[in-house]
PDB file of all heavy atoms in Angstrom:
ATOM      1  N   LEU A   1      65.238 121.171  76.213  1.00 96.00           N
ATOM      2  CA  LEU A   1      63.897 120.557  76.011  1.00 96.00           C
ATOM      3  C   LEU A   1      62.800 121.380  76.747  1.00 96.00           C
ATOM      4  O   LEU A   1      61.700 121.366  76.353  1.00 96.00           O
ATOM      5  CB  LEU A   1      63.855 119.077  76.519  1.00 96.00           C
ATOM      6  CG  LEU A   1      64.707 118.125  75.704  1.00 96.00           C
ATOM      7  CD1 LEU A   1      64.607 116.732  76.315  1.00 96.00           C
ATOM      8  CD2 LEU A   1      64.239 118.082  74.253  1.00 96.00           C
ATOM      9  N   VAL A   2      63.193 122.067  77.805  1.00 96.00           N
ATOM     10  CA  VAL A   2      62.194 122.884  78.557  1.00 96.00           C
ATOM     11  C   VAL A   2      61.633 123.944  77.591  1.00 96.00           C
ATOM     12  O   VAL A   2      60.494 124.308  77.747  1.00 96.00           O
ATOM     13  CB  VAL A   2      62.874 123.526  79.761  1.00 96.00           C
ATOM     14  CG1 VAL A   2      61.989 124.598  80.436  1.00 96.00           C
ATOM     15  CG2 VAL A   2      63.340 122.502  80.808  1.00 96.00           C
ATOM     16  N   PHE A   3      62.469 124.409  76.689  1.00 95.00           N
ATOM     17  CA  PHE A   3      62.004 125.495  75.788  1.00 95.00           C
ATOM     18  C   PHE A   3      61.454 124.960  74.442  1.00 95.00           C
ATOM     19  O   PHE A   3      60.763 125.670  73.747  1.00 95.00           O
ATOM     20  CB  PHE A   3      63.178 126.434  75.515  1.00 95.00           C
ATOM     21  CG  PHE A   3      63.811 127.021  76.720  1.00 95.00           C
ATOM     22  CD1 PHE A   3      64.996 126.545  77.218  1.00 95.00           C
ATOM     23  CD2 PHE A   3      63.123 128.012  77.430  1.00 95.00           C
ATOM     24  CE1 PHE A   3      65.514 127.077  78.391  1.00 95.00           C
ATOM     25  CE2 PHE A   3      63.657 128.574  78.633  1.00 95.00           C
ATOM     26  CZ  PHE A   3      64.839 128.052  79.058  1.00 95.00           C
ATOM     27  N   LEU A   4      61.803 123.685  74.101  1.00 96.00           N
ATOM     28  CA  LEU A   4      61.425 123.154  72.822  1.00 96.00           C
ATOM     29  C   LEU A   4      60.154 122.335  72.901  1.00 96.00           C
ATOM     30  O   LEU A   4      59.404 122.295  71.853  1.00 96.00           O
ATOM     31  CB  LEU A   4      62.554 122.269  72.272  1.00 96.00           C
ATOM     32  CG  LEU A   4      63.829 122.987  71.931  1.00 96.00           C
ATOM     33  CD1 LEU A   4      64.914 122.020  71.523  1.00 96.00           C
ATOM     34  CD2 LEU A   4      63.601 124.045  70.873  1.00 96.00           C
ATOM     35  N   LEU A   5      59.843 121.685  73.976  1.00 95.00           N
ATOM     36  CA  LEU A   5      58.651 120.844  74.070  1.00 95.00           C
ATOM     37  C   LEU A   5      57.447 121.665  74.602  1.00 95.00           C
ATOM     38  O   LEU A   5      57.636 122.654  75.320  1.00 95.00           O
ATOM     39  CB  LEU A   5      58.935 119.638  75.027  1.00 95.00           C
ATOM     40  CG  LEU A   5      59.986 118.680  74.507  1.00 95.00           C
ATOM     41  CD1 LEU A   5      60.245 117.556  75.524  1.00 95.00           C
ATOM     42  CD2 LEU A   5      59.638 118.094  73.131  1.00 95.00           C
ATOM     43  N   ASP A   6      56.265 121.132  74.322  1.00 94.00           N
ATOM     44  CA  ASP A   6      55.039 121.747  74.791  1.00 94.00           C
ATOM     45  C   ASP A   6      54.410 120.909  75.867  1.00 94.00           C
ATOM     46  O   ASP A   6      54.644 119.698  76.018  1.00 94.00           O
ATOM     47  CB  ASP A   6      54.030 121.889  73.605  1.00 94.00           C
ATOM     48  CG  ASP A   6      54.515 122.843  72.577  1.00 94.00           C
ATOM     49  OD1 ASP A   6      55.207 123.793  72.940  1.00 94.00           O
ATOM     50  OD2 ASP A   6      54.182 122.587  71.355  1.00 94.00           O
ATOM     51  N   GLY A   7      53.621 121.554  76.683  1.00 95.00           N
ATOM     52  CA  GLY A   7      52.789 120.895  77.711  1.00 95.00           C
ATOM     53  C   GLY A   7      53.636 120.360  78.834  1.00 95.00           C
ATOM     54  O   GLY A   7      54.732 120.953  79.163  1.00 95.00           O
ATOM     55  N   ASN A   8      53.206 119.296  79.466  1.00 95.00           N
ATOM     56  CA  ASN A   8      53.927 118.768  80.627  1.00 95.00           C
ATOM     57  C   ASN A   8      55.216 118.062  80.252  1.00 95.00           C
ATOM     58  O   ASN A   8      56.030 117.787  81.119  1.00 95.00           O
ATOM     59  CB  ASN A   8      53.003 117.797  81.383  1.00 95.00           C
ATOM     60  CG  ASN A   8      51.930 118.607  82.206  1.00 95.00           C
ATOM     61  OD1 ASN A   8      52.196 119.800  82.559  1.00 95.00           O
ATOM     62  ND2 ASN A   8      50.823 117.959  82.448  1.00 95.00           N
ATOM     63  N   ASN A   9      55.368 117.658  78.995  1.00 94.00           N
ATOM     64  CA  ASN A   9      56.601 116.970  78.579  1.00 94.00           C
ATOM     65  C   ASN A   9      57.847 117.880  78.707  1.00 94.00           C
ATOM     66  O   ASN A   9      58.944 117.384  78.803  1.00 94.00           O
ATOM     67  CB  ASN A   9      56.474 116.500  77.113  1.00 94.00           C
ATOM     68  CG  ASN A   9      55.552 115.349  76.960  1.00 94.00           C
ATOM     69  OD1 ASN A   9      55.384 114.582  77.903  1.00 94.00           O
ATOM     70  ND2 ASN A   9      54.888 115.213  75.856  1.00 94.00           N
ATOM     71  N   ARG A  10      57.593 119.159  78.748  1.00 94.00           N
ATOM     72  CA  ARG A  10      58.800 120.071  78.785  1.00 94.00           C
ATOM     73  C   ARG A  10      59.564 119.922  80.062  1.00 94.00           C
ATOM     74  O   ARG A  10      60.788 120.111  80.082  1.00 94.00           O
ATOM     75  CB  ARG A  10      58.338 121.547  78.631  1.00 94.00           C
ATOM     76  CG  ARG A  10      57.591 122.043  79.818  1.00 94.00           C
ATOM     77  CD  ARG A  10      57.156 123.456  79.845  1.00 94.00           C
ATOM     78  NE  ARG A  10      57.129 124.012  78.548  1.00 94.00           N
ATOM     79  CZ  ARG A  10      57.017 125.235  78.217  1.00 94.00           C
ATOM     80  NH1 ARG A  10      56.863 126.069  79.207  1.00 94.00           N
ATOM     81  NH2 ARG A  10      57.001 125.675  77.058  1.00 94.00           N
ATOM     82  N   TRP A  11      58.941 119.452  81.105  1.00 95.00           N
ATOM     83  CA  TRP A  11      59.675 119.348  82.418  1.00 95.00           C
ATOM     84  C   TRP A  11      60.643 118.223  82.498  1.00 95.00           C
ATOM     85  O   TRP A  11      61.487 118.180  83.332  1.00 95.00           O
ATOM     86  CB  TRP A  11      58.643 119.218  83.562  1.00 95.00           C
ATOM     87  CG  TRP A  11      57.710 120.471  83.526  1.00 95.00           C
ATOM     88  CD1 TRP A  11      56.415 120.480  83.318  1.00 95.00           C
ATOM     89  CD2 TRP A  11      58.092 121.812  83.746  1.00 95.00           C
ATOM     90  NE1 TRP A  11      55.926 121.740  83.330  1.00 95.00           N
ATOM     91  CE2 TRP A  11      56.926 122.628  83.571  1.00 95.00           C
ATOM     92  CE3 TRP A  11      59.326 122.470  83.935  1.00 95.00           C
ATOM     93  CZ2 TRP A  11      56.955 123.968  83.676  1.00 95.00           C
ATOM     94  CZ3 TRP A  11      59.323 123.850  84.032  1.00 95.00           C
ATOM     95  CH2 TRP A  11      58.184 124.595  83.868  1.00 95.00           C
ATOM     96  N   TRP A  12      60.590 117.347  81.482  1.00 95.00           N
ATOM     97  CA  TRP A  12      61.608 116.271  81.391  1.00 95.00           C
ATOM     98  C   TRP A  12      62.975 116.875  81.122  1.00 95.00           C
ATOM     99  O   TRP A  12      63.992 116.309  81.417  1.00 95.00           O
ATOM    100  CB  TRP A  12      61.250 115.282  80.283  1.00 95.00           C
ATOM    101  CG  TRP A  12      60.192 114.338  80.695  1.00 95.00           C
ATOM    102  CD1 TRP A  12      58.828 114.333  80.341  1.00 95.00           C
ATOM    103  CD2 TRP A  12      60.366 113.180  81.545  1.00 95.00           C
ATOM    104  NE1 TRP A  12      58.182 113.336  80.937  1.00 95.00           N
ATOM    105  CE2 TRP A  12      59.060 112.639  81.689  1.00 95.00           C
ATOM    106  CE3 TRP A  12      61.395 112.648  82.219  1.00 95.00           C
ATOM    107  CZ2 TRP A  12      58.873 111.444  82.463  1.00 95.00           C
ATOM    108  CZ3 TRP A  12      61.190 111.487  83.019  1.00 95.00           C
ATOM    109  CH2 TRP A  12      59.964 110.960  83.114  1.00 95.00           C
ATOM    110  N   GLY A  13      63.038 118.043  80.575  1.00 96.00           N
ATOM    111  CA  GLY A  13      64.298 118.733  80.325  1.00 96.00           C
ATOM    112  C   GLY A  13      65.071 119.102  81.570  1.00 96.00           C
ATOM    113  O   GLY A  13      66.328 119.248  81.524  1.00 96.00           O
ATOM    114  N   LEU A  14      64.426 119.174  82.692  1.00 97.00           N
ATOM    115  CA  LEU A  14      65.056 119.409  83.989  1.00 97.00           C
ATOM    116  C   LEU A  14      66.054 118.338  84.411  1.00 97.00           C
ATOM    117  O   LEU A  14      66.924 118.572  85.239  1.00 97.00           O
ATOM    118  CB  LEU A  14      64.081 119.678  85.091  1.00 97.00           C
ATOM    119  CG  LEU A  14      63.222 120.937  84.903  1.00 97.00           C
ATOM    120  CD1 LEU A  14      62.194 121.090  86.027  1.00 97.00           C
ATOM    121  CD2 LEU A  14      64.074 122.158  84.829  1.00 97.00           C
ATOM    122  N   ILE A  15      65.930 117.153  83.767  1.00 97.00           N
ATOM    123  CA  ILE A  15      66.903 116.093  84.010  1.00 97.00           C
ATOM    124  C   ILE A  15      68.304 116.585  83.631  1.00 97.00           C
ATOM    125  O   ILE A  15      69.300 116.106  84.198  1.00 97.00           O
ATOM    126  CB  ILE A  15      66.531 114.877  83.181  1.00 97.00           C
ATOM    127  CG1 ILE A  15      65.240 114.239  83.767  1.00 97.00           C
ATOM    128  CG2 ILE A  15      67.644 113.810  83.234  1.00 97.00           C
ATOM    129  CD1 ILE A  15      64.673 113.103  82.952  1.00 97.00           C
ATOM    130  N   GLY A  16      68.410 117.524  82.760  1.00 97.00           N
ATOM    131  CA  GLY A  16      69.700 118.126  82.368  1.00 97.00           C
ATOM    132  C   GLY A  16      70.482 118.784  83.474  1.00 97.00           C
ATOM    133  O   GLY A  16      71.682 118.988  83.333  1.00 97.00           O
ATOM    134  N   LEU A  17      69.780 119.134  84.554  1.00 97.00           N
ATOM    135  CA  LEU A  17      70.429 119.798  85.671  1.00 97.00           C
ATOM    136  C   LEU A  17      71.365 118.762  86.394  1.00 97.00           C
ATOM    137  O   LEU A  17      72.449 119.217  86.883  1.00 97.00           O
ATOM    138  CB  LEU A  17      69.435 120.289  86.700  1.00 97.00           C
ATOM    139  CG  LEU A  17      68.558 121.442  86.232  1.00 97.00           C
ATOM    140  CD1 LEU A  17      67.508 121.817  87.312  1.00 97.00           C
ATOM    141  CD2 LEU A  17      69.451 122.670  85.906  1.00 97.00           C
ATOM    142  N   GLY A  18      71.118 117.531  86.315  1.00 97.00           N
ATOM    143  CA  GLY A  18      72.029 116.473  86.943  1.00 97.00           C
ATOM    144  C   GLY A  18      73.389 116.469  86.318  1.00 97.00           C
ATOM    145  O   GLY A  18      74.397 116.633  87.034  1.00 97.00           O
ATOM    146  N   PRO A  19      73.463 116.251  84.986  1.00 98.00           N
ATOM    147  CA  PRO A  19      74.802 116.290  84.334  1.00 98.00           C
ATOM    148  C   PRO A  19      75.530 117.596  84.551  1.00 98.00           C
ATOM    149  O   PRO A  19      76.750 117.629  84.703  1.00 98.00           O
ATOM    150  CB  PRO A  19      74.529 116.037  82.895  1.00 98.00           C
ATOM    151  CG  PRO A  19      73.191 115.318  82.866  1.00 98.00           C
ATOM    152  CD  PRO A  19      72.444 115.868  84.054  1.00 98.00           C
ATOM    153  N   LEU A  20      74.777 118.717  84.462  1.00 98.00           N
ATOM    154  CA  LEU A  20      75.434 120.036  84.655  1.00 98.00           C
ATOM    155  C   LEU A  20      75.989 120.165  86.117  1.00 98.00           C
ATOM    156  O   LEU A  20      77.131 120.650  86.263  1.00 98.00           O
ATOM    157  CB  LEU A  20      74.449 121.172  84.361  1.00 98.00           C
ATOM    158  CG  LEU A  20      74.155 121.380  82.867  1.00 98.00           C
ATOM    159  CD1 LEU A  20      73.025 122.454  82.775  1.00 98.00           C
ATOM    160  CD2 LEU A  20      75.353 121.804  82.119  1.00 98.00           C
ATOM    161  N   LEU A  21      75.224 119.736  87.074  1.00 97.00           N
ATOM    162  CA  LEU A  21      75.676 119.878  88.467  1.00 97.00           C
ATOM    163  C   LEU A  21      76.947 119.033  88.688  1.00 97.00           C
ATOM    164  O   LEU A  21      77.908 119.478  89.300  1.00 97.00           O
ATOM    165  CB  LEU A  21      74.569 119.400  89.416  1.00 97.00           C
ATOM    166  CG  LEU A  21      74.869 119.523  90.894  1.00 97.00           C
ATOM    167  CD1 LEU A  21      75.066 121.023  91.283  1.00 97.00           C
ATOM    168  CD2 LEU A  21      73.727 118.910  91.693  1.00 97.00           C
ATOM    169  N   THR A  22      76.887 117.765  88.231  1.00 97.00           N
ATOM    170  CA  THR A  22      78.073 116.959  88.392  1.00 97.00           C
ATOM    171  C   THR A  22      79.310 117.384  87.651  1.00 97.00           C
ATOM    172  O   THR A  22      80.422 117.293  88.083  1.00 97.00           O
ATOM    173  CB  THR A  22      77.806 115.450  88.089  1.00 97.00           C
ATOM    174  OG1 THR A  22      77.361 115.369  86.688  1.00 97.00           O
ATOM    175  CG2 THR A  22      76.747 114.868  88.971  1.00 97.00           C
ATOM    176  N   ALA A  23      79.086 117.996  86.431  1.00 97.00           N
ATOM    177  CA  ALA A  23      80.215 118.573  85.685  1.00 97.00           C
ATOM    178  C   ALA A  23      80.828 119.703  86.430  1.00 97.00           C
ATOM    179  O   ALA A  23      82.081 119.785  86.447  1.00 97.00           O
ATOM    180  CB  ALA A  23      79.667 119.009  84.336  1.00 97.00           C
ATOM    181  N   PHE A  24      80.074 120.597  86.968  1.00 97.00           N
ATOM    182  CA  PHE A  24      80.670 121.786  87.706  1.00 97.00           C
ATOM    183  C   PHE A  24      81.219 121.403  89.040  1.00 97.00           C
ATOM    184  O   PHE A  24      82.188 122.030  89.445  1.00 97.00           O
ATOM    185  CB  PHE A  24      79.624 122.897  87.760  1.00 97.00           C
ATOM    186  CG  PHE A  24      79.291 123.544  86.479  1.00 97.00           C
ATOM    187  CD1 PHE A  24      78.062 123.443  85.914  1.00 97.00           C
ATOM    188  CD2 PHE A  24      80.279 124.161  85.726  1.00 97.00           C
ATOM    189  CE1 PHE A  24      77.769 124.026  84.681  1.00 97.00           C
ATOM    190  CE2 PHE A  24      80.072 124.765  84.485  1.00 97.00           C
ATOM    191  CZ  PHE A  24      78.806 124.693  83.974  1.00 97.00           C
ATOM    192  N   LEU A  25      80.678 120.423  89.724  1.00 96.00           N
ATOM    193  CA  LEU A  25      81.258 119.979  90.974  1.00 96.00           C
ATOM    194  C   LEU A  25      82.478 119.017  90.789  1.00 96.00           C
ATOM    195  O   LEU A  25      83.197 118.794  91.672  1.00 96.00           O
ATOM    196  CB  LEU A  25      80.227 119.240  91.822  1.00 96.00           C
ATOM    197  CG  LEU A  25      79.097 120.118  92.326  1.00 96.00           C
ATOM    198  CD1 LEU A  25      78.100 119.205  93.079  1.00 96.00           C
ATOM    199  CD2 LEU A  25      79.584 121.158  93.271  1.00 96.00           C
ATOM    200  N   ARG A  26      82.591 118.458  89.538  1.00 96.00           N
ATOM    201  CA  ARG A  26      83.621 117.504  89.185  1.00 96.00           C
ATOM    202  C   ARG A  26      83.582 116.251  90.030  1.00 96.00           C
ATOM    203  O   ARG A  26      84.514 115.628  90.316  1.00 96.00           O
ATOM    204  CB  ARG A  26      85.038 118.122  89.246  1.00 96.00           C
ATOM    205  CG  ARG A  26      85.175 119.256  88.198  1.00 96.00           C
ATOM    206  CD  ARG A  26      86.587 119.692  88.160  1.00 96.00           C
ATOM    207  NE  ARG A  26      87.469 118.657  87.643  1.00 96.00           N
ATOM    208  CZ  ARG A  26      88.065 118.740  86.432  1.00 96.00           C
ATOM    209  NH1 ARG A  26      87.941 119.787  85.706  1.00 96.00           N
ATOM    210  NH2 ARG A  26      88.832 117.723  86.033  1.00 96.00           N
ATOM    211  N   PHE A  27      82.400 115.952  90.547  1.00 96.00           N
ATOM    212  CA  PHE A  27      82.168 114.773  91.424  1.00 96.00           C
ATOM    213  C   PHE A  27      80.856 114.121  91.052  1.00 96.00           C
ATOM    214  O   PHE A  27      79.808 114.730  90.932  1.00 96.00           O
ATOM    215  CB  PHE A  27      82.113 115.192  92.930  1.00 96.00           C
ATOM    216  CG  PHE A  27      81.841 114.098  93.823  1.00 96.00           C
ATOM    217  CD1 PHE A  27      82.823 113.159  94.153  1.00 96.00           C
ATOM    218  CD2 PHE A  27      80.588 113.896  94.396  1.00 96.00           C
ATOM    219  CE1 PHE A  27      82.591 112.073  94.991  1.00 96.00           C
ATOM    220  CE2 PHE A  27      80.358 112.856  95.264  1.00 96.00           C
ATOM    221  CZ  PHE A  27      81.356 111.936  95.571  1.00 96.00           C
ATOM    222  N   CYS A  28      80.942 112.779  90.856  1.00 96.00           N
ATOM    223  CA  CYS A  28      79.736 112.005  90.533  1.00 96.00           C
ATOM    224  C   CYS A  28      79.633 110.875  91.564  1.00 96.00           C
ATOM    225  O   CYS A  28      80.482 109.959  91.597  1.00 96.00           O
ATOM    226  CB  CYS A  28      79.921 111.444  89.114  1.00 96.00           C
ATOM    227  SG  CYS A  28      78.517 110.381  88.606  1.00 96.00           S
ATOM    228  N   PRO A  29      78.571 110.947  92.398  1.00 95.00           N
ATOM    229  CA  PRO A  29      78.418 109.878  93.425  1.00 95.00           C
ATOM    230  C   PRO A  29      78.374 108.482  92.879  1.00 95.00           C
ATOM    231  O   PRO A  29      79.038 107.595  93.446  1.00 95.00           O
ATOM    232  CB  PRO A  29      77.129 110.295  94.111  1.00 95.00           C
ATOM    233  CG  PRO A  29      77.032 111.741  93.951  1.00 95.00           C
ATOM    234  CD  PRO A  29      77.630 112.019  92.605  1.00 95.00           C
ATOM    235  N   PRO A  30      77.633 108.214  91.815  1.00 95.00           N
ATOM    236  CA  PRO A  30      77.663 106.839  91.302  1.00 95.00           C
ATOM    237  C   PRO A  30      79.021 106.360  90.844  1.00 95.00           C
ATOM    238  O   PRO A  30      79.361 105.168  90.971  1.00 95.00           O
ATOM    239  CB  PRO A  30      76.676 106.864  90.078  1.00 95.00           C
ATOM    240  CG  PRO A  30      75.756 107.955  90.388  1.00 95.00           C
ATOM    241  CD  PRO A  30      76.578 108.968  91.087  1.00 95.00           C
ATOM    242  N   TYR A  31      79.881 107.276  90.312  1.00 95.00           N
ATOM    243  CA  TYR A  31      81.240 106.914  89.982  1.00 95.00           C
ATOM    244  C   TYR A  31      81.978 106.489  91.228  1.00 95.00           C
ATOM    245  O   TYR A  31      82.730 105.505  91.210  1.00 95.00           O
ATOM    246  CB  TYR A  31      81.946 108.066  89.347  1.00 95.00           C
ATOM    247  CG  TYR A  31      81.778 108.251  87.845  1.00 95.00           C
ATOM    248  CD1 TYR A  31      80.764 107.587  87.159  1.00 95.00           C
ATOM    249  CD2 TYR A  31      82.655 109.011  87.137  1.00 95.00           C
ATOM    250  CE1 TYR A  31      80.612 107.729  85.774  1.00 95.00           C
ATOM    251  CE2 TYR A  31      82.495 109.198  85.754  1.00 95.00           C
ATOM    252  CZ  TYR A  31      81.481 108.559  85.101  1.00 95.00           C
ATOM    253  OH  TYR A  31      81.357 108.644  83.764  1.00 95.00           O
ATOM    254  N   LYS A  32      81.792 107.161  92.335  1.00 94.00           N
ATOM    255  CA  LYS A  32      82.449 106.824  93.577  1.00 94.00           C
ATOM    256  C   LYS A  32      82.033 105.448  94.052  1.00 94.00           C
ATOM    257  O   LYS A  32      82.848 104.589  94.428  1.00 94.00           O
ATOM    258  CB  LYS A  32      82.217 107.884  94.629  1.00 94.00           C
ATOM    259  CG  LYS A  32      82.956 107.549  95.955  1.00 94.00           C
ATOM    260  CD  LYS A  32      82.919 108.769  96.808  1.00 94.00           C
ATOM    261  CE  LYS A  32      83.535 108.491  98.160  1.00 94.00           C
ATOM    262  NZ  LYS A  32      84.946 108.322  98.137  1.00 94.00           N
ATOM    263  N   TRP A  33      80.745 105.151  93.973  1.00 96.00           N
ATOM    264  CA  TRP A  33      80.176 103.888  94.490  1.00 96.00           C
ATOM    265  C   TRP A  33      80.694 102.710  93.608  1.00 96.00           C
ATOM    266  O   TRP A  33      80.950 101.618  94.080  1.00 96.00           O
ATOM    267  CB  TRP A  33      78.668 103.862  94.443  1.00 96.00           C
ATOM    268  CG  TRP A  33      78.014 104.961  95.277  1.00 96.00           C
ATOM    269  CD1 TRP A  33      78.577 105.520  96.456  1.00 96.00           C
ATOM    270  CD2 TRP A  33      76.856 105.709  95.059  1.00 96.00           C
ATOM    271  NE1 TRP A  33      77.712 106.485  96.938  1.00 96.00           N
ATOM    272  CE2 TRP A  33      76.685 106.643  96.070  1.00 96.00           C
ATOM    273  CE3 TRP A  33      75.919 105.578  94.053  1.00 96.00           C
ATOM    274  CZ2 TRP A  33      75.595 107.440  96.095  1.00 96.00           C
ATOM    275  CZ3 TRP A  33      74.821 106.409  94.078  1.00 96.00           C
ATOM    276  CH2 TRP A  33      74.710 107.347  95.153  1.00 96.00           C
ATOM    277  N   LEU A  34      80.888 103.015  92.334  1.00 96.00           N
ATOM    278  CA  LEU A  34      81.354 101.966  91.358  1.00 96.00           C
ATOM    279  C   LEU A  34      82.880 101.955  91.274  1.00 96.00           C
ATOM    280  O   LEU A  34      83.433 101.066  90.517  1.00 96.00           O
ATOM    281  CB  LEU A  34      80.730 102.144  90.014  1.00 96.00           C
ATOM    282  CG  LEU A  34      79.201 102.014  89.987  1.00 96.00           C
ATOM    283  CD1 LEU A  34      78.653 102.450  88.609  1.00 96.00           C
ATOM    284  CD2 LEU A  34      78.795 100.608  90.283  1.00 96.00           C
ATOM    285  N   GLY A  35      83.576 102.875  91.904  1.00 94.00           N
ATOM    286  CA  GLY A  35      85.024 102.877  91.829  1.00 94.00           C
ATOM    287  C   GLY A  35      85.589 103.402  90.483  1.00 94.00           C
ATOM    288  O   GLY A  35      86.691 103.049  90.074  1.00 94.00           O
ATOM    289  N   ILE A  36      84.797 104.234  89.835  1.00 93.00           N
ATOM    290  CA  ILE A  36      85.184 104.793  88.524  1.00 93.00           C
ATOM    291  C   ILE A  36      85.861 106.121  88.773  1.00 93.00           C
ATOM    292  O   ILE A  36      85.384 106.944  89.512  1.00 93.00           O
ATOM    293  CB  ILE A  36      84.003 104.916  87.538  1.00 93.00           C
ATOM    294  CG1 ILE A  36      83.391 103.559  87.293  1.00 93.00           C
ATOM    295  CG2 ILE A  36      84.442 105.597  86.294  1.00 93.00           C
ATOM    296  CD1 ILE A  36      82.078 103.594  86.561  1.00 93.00           C
ATOM    297  N   ASP A  37      86.938 106.436  88.076  1.00 94.00           N
ATOM    298  CA  ASP A  37      87.635 107.700  88.212  1.00 94.00           C
ATOM    299  C   ASP A  37      88.163 108.053  86.856  1.00 94.00           C
ATOM    300  O   ASP A  37      89.156 107.494  86.364  1.00 94.00           O
ATOM    301  CB  ASP A  37      88.781 107.581  89.219  1.00 94.00           C
ATOM    302  CG  ASP A  37      89.417 108.948  89.521  1.00 94.00           C
ATOM    303  OD1 ASP A  37      89.064 109.913  88.969  1.00 94.00           O
ATOM    304  OD2 ASP A  37      90.368 108.927  90.386  1.00 94.00           O
ATOM    305  N   THR A  38      87.481 109.063  86.215  1.00 93.00           N
ATOM    306  CA  THR A  38      87.943 109.465  84.835  1.00 93.00           C
ATOM    307  C   THR A  38      88.990 110.532  84.900  1.00 93.00           C
ATOM    308  O   THR A  38      89.442 110.941  83.824  1.00 93.00           O
ATOM    309  CB  THR A  38      86.734 109.889  84.011  1.00 93.00           C
ATOM    310  OG1 THR A  38      86.123 111.011  84.634  1.00 93.00           O
ATOM    311  CG2 THR A  38      85.750 108.758  83.835  1.00 93.00           C
ATOM    312  N   LEU A  39      89.415 110.948  86.097  1.00 91.00           N
ATOM    313  CA  LEU A  39      90.517 111.926  86.169  1.00 91.00           C
ATOM    314  C   LEU A  39      91.817 111.284  85.667  1.00 91.00           C
ATOM    315  O   LEU A  39      92.564 111.939  84.983  1.00 91.00           O
ATOM    316  CB  LEU A  39      90.652 112.433  87.602  1.00 91.00           C
ATOM    317  CG  LEU A  39      89.981 113.740  87.889  1.00 91.00           C
ATOM    318  CD1 LEU A  39      90.164 114.094  89.368  1.00 91.00           C
ATOM    319  CD2 LEU A  39      90.479 114.905  87.086  1.00 91.00           C
ATOM    320  N   GLY A  40      92.010 110.064  86.160  1.00 83.00           N
ATOM    321  CA  GLY A  40      93.215 109.284  85.712  1.00 83.00           C
ATOM    322  C   GLY A  40      94.503 110.030  85.753  1.00 83.00           C
ATOM    323  O   GLY A  40      95.035 110.423  86.766  1.00 83.00           O
ATOM    324  N   LYS A  41      95.060 110.292  84.597  1.00 71.00           N
ATOM    325  CA  LYS A  41      96.410 110.881  84.418  1.00 71.00           C
ATOM    326  C   LYS A  41      96.389 112.377  84.797  1.00 71.00           C
ATOM    327  O   LYS A  41      97.379 112.893  85.179  1.00 71.00           O
ATOM    328  CB  LYS A  41      96.932 110.732  83.032  1.00 71.00           C
ATOM    329  CG  LYS A  41      97.258 109.286  82.732  1.00 71.00           C
ATOM    330  CD  LYS A  41      97.805 109.110  81.387  1.00 71.00           C
ATOM    331  CE  LYS A  41      98.072 107.664  81.086  1.00 71.00           C
ATOM    332  NZ  LYS A  41      98.669 107.378  79.796  1.00 71.00           N
ATOM    333  N   GLU A  42      95.194 113.020  84.708  1.00 74.00           N
ATOM    334  CA  GLU A  42      95.129 114.450  85.117  1.00 74.00           C
ATOM    335  C   GLU A  42      95.441 114.559  86.537  1.00 74.00           C
ATOM    336  O   GLU A  42      96.075 115.489  87.002  1.00 74.00           O
ATOM    337  CB  GLU A  42      93.671 114.995  84.815  1.00 74.00           C
ATOM    338  CG  GLU A  42      93.336 115.070  83.397  1.00 74.00           C
ATOM    339  CD  GLU A  42      91.938 115.566  83.169  1.00 74.00           C
ATOM    340  OE1 GLU A  42      91.510 116.411  83.917  1.00 74.00           O
ATOM    341  OE2 GLU A  42      91.306 115.032  82.274  1.00 74.00           O
ATOM    342  N   LYS A  43      95.011 113.629  87.370  1.00 68.00           N
ATOM    343  CA  LYS A  43      95.237 113.692  88.815  1.00 68.00           C
ATOM    344  C   LYS A  43      96.737 113.454  89.134  1.00 68.00           C
ATOM    345  O   LYS A  43      97.274 114.143  89.984  1.00 68.00           O
ATOM    346  CB  LYS A  43      94.421 112.548  89.499  1.00 68.00           C
ATOM    347  CG  LYS A  43      94.463 112.683  91.023  1.00 68.00           C
ATOM    348  CD  LYS A  43      93.763 111.449  91.713  1.00 68.00           C
ATOM    349  CE  LYS A  43      92.319 111.461  91.418  1.00 68.00           C
ATOM    350  NZ  LYS A  43      91.595 110.423  92.184  1.00 68.00           N
TER     351      LYS A  43
END
């Protein structure tokens, strides 16, 4: 969205950094707080 939108709306695309960061770290703080673990059988 940073590249597709015009004006100040383009900066909303930076929200995409959150999912990317958690995907590469393989850790999601809200999941820990809520007791969610999607690793399951992989672990």
